[in-house]
Amino acid sequence: MPRNKTIIMLSVGHACVDIYQGAVASLVPFFVAERAYSYAAVSGVVLAASLLSSVAQPVFGVLTDRRAMPWLLPVSTLLGGLGIALSCLSGSYALTLTFVAVSGVGVAAYHPESARVARLVSEGSHSAMGWFSVGGNVGFAAAPLMVTVVVASGGLRLAPLFVVPALVGSVLCLPVLRALETTERGGSGGAAGTGTDDKLSFVKLSLAVVCRSIAFIGLSTFISLYVKQRLGGSTAAGTVALFVLYLGGAVGSVLGGSLAGRWNRVAVARWSYLVSVAAVAGVVFVPGPAIYVFVVLTSAGLYVPFSLQVTLGQDYLPTRVGTASGITLGLTVSIGGLAAPLIGSVADATSLRTALTPLILMPALSWLLFRTLPEPAAPKLMAAARQTGDDTDAELSPSRDHR
């Protein structure tokens, strides 16, 4: 299968999984309306989706370093969808937390293996990995639309419809798995690279992604409620803000891959985080409809470094690609949800604005950490990874990668 076609299918499959990460935050206003959950209670739902996922991500990363497990792609996709659907049907808060956690485990199992496969297919191309990441961003962006359409049509009882993207995503995985069969039969397990692991830089990178995650998940959890409160509008006004926050990520990921072809990844990520500081401050403090402009800037600023951080992590740990992917694409993203209950508790005690204000510091910390990071030389991938020539990069991105 041509590389560009495989990347597109992986990207669509990525969207079908990450729609369930976005669905958790999208369901928050409906849980508040239909079940009278407090800010702290809905923060607990976000925590449940993040907690097991945070623990499971590096475990699956280590496993994929030892043995290729492409079957995880369809299985984990189905698990993510079933968990979200069942969380909406259960009447008990404890069962809601349990099913959301099950969905989180499915998402955790998907990311390390999918990132390993994407790296194998793309041969480490920044633009190709950017397109792979776009799928996840589109999934996030589609989540509030999916949840709003389904729940507005018949309430949470129509939640079984949430399984449809999981079915689509699992079916799309099958041609990719067949295309990989020949490569995986060699027993290599994946796109391993040669070189020396730079563990210190990887730790700094991971801390920067954690700070980014706290800012993004904190905003995505409460942006719907905050915009509705600030503008005195309906639930739809908040849903639009969440949609914009997620959709801007698709633009940011493509832009990040393109900019990395001109400048190095560390420089692009550093400037993006600096822009994000002002953008998050605008979301928190700027009044009126102008808040939507700052939501767009925040989304783009936080997502430009997203796919770049994945390839940076893989290049800092060239001998442990699965582990690096599990941490940068999964663990550090999920762990941001651990801060959600604290934000919710502060909001219950004071106000949402007060609770969201500390998030301005998060991209600033990421910027400081990136100032200490070197740009690694991309390691050579194994010859088995070569499926097509470099001309396929031109089909995926207008700018060539300078590797």
Side-chain angles (χ1 to χ4, degrees), residues 19-32:
I19 197 171
Y20 297 113
Q21 286 203 85
V24 177
S26 304
L27 285 166
V28 164
F30 298 101
F31 283 150
V32 171

Side-chain angles (χ1 to χ4, degrees), residues 140-161:
F140 264 105
L145 299 181
M146 177 187 73
V147 169
T148 300
V149 169
V150 171
V151 178
S153 299
L156 295 176
R157 63 184 178 83
L158 291 183
L161 292 174

Side-chain angles (χ1 to χ4, degrees), residues 38-56:
S38 66
Y39 289 142
V42 292
S43 299
V45 174
V46 177
L47 174 62
S50 303
L51 191 57
L52 275 181
S53 182
S54 298
V55 175

Side-chain angles (χ1 to χ4, degrees), residues 3 125-128 257-263 386 389-403:
R3 185 169 74 180
S125 164
H126 305 327
S127 61
S258 178
L259 292 175
R262 287 178 171 269
W263 299 282
R386 294 198 170 276
D390 286 339
D391 57 320
T392 51
D393 274 343
E395 299 179 42
L396 289 171
S397 174
S399 83
R400 293 293 303 241
D401 290 327
H402 299 285
R403 301 193 290 275

Side-chain angles (χ1 to χ4, degrees), residues 226-271:
Y226 187 59
V227 169
K228 178 182 177 182
Q229 181 186 100
R230 290 289 304 277
L231 299 183
S234 62
T235 301
T239 300
V240 169
L242 185 61
F243 173 72
V244 169
L245 181 66
Y246 288 160
L247 186 62
V251 178
S253 289
V254 175
L255 183 61
S258 178
L259 292 175
R262 287 178 171 269
W263 299 282
N264 68 63
R265 291 165 290 177
V266 172
V268 171
R270 187 167 61 237
W271 281 104

Side-chain angles (χ1 to χ4, degrees), residues 145-234:
L145 299 181
M146 177 187 73
V147 169
T148 300
V149 169
V150 171
V151 178
S153 299
L156 295 176
R157 63 184 178 83
L158 291 183
L161 292 174
F162 292 155
V163 179
V164 173
L167 295 174
V168 173
S170 60
V171 170
L172 286 175
C173 289
L174 301 181
V176 176
L177 301 191
R178 284 197 294 269
L180 284 170
E181 210 170 285
T182 302
T183 301
E184 298 294 350
R185 196 176 293 132
S188 63
T194 59
T196 303
D197 292 341
D198 185 352
K199 296 178 181 178
L200 179 59
S201 292
F202 183 77
V203 169
K204 292 178 181 179
L205 172 69
S206 299
L207 290 174
V209 183
V210 167
C211 293
R212 175 221 175 261
S213 175
I214 292 173
F216 183 79
I217 294 183
L219 285 172
S220 63
T221 301
F222 295 106
I223 192 70
S224 294
L225 297 171
Y226 187 59
V227 169
K228 178 182 177 182
Q229 181 186 100
R230 290 289 304 277
L231 299 183
S234 62

Side-chain angles (χ1 to χ4, degrees), residues 80-96:
L82 286 172
I84 290 298
L86 291 173
S87 72
C88 297
L89 296 177
S90 62
S92 130
Y93 183 67
L95 284 176
T96 298

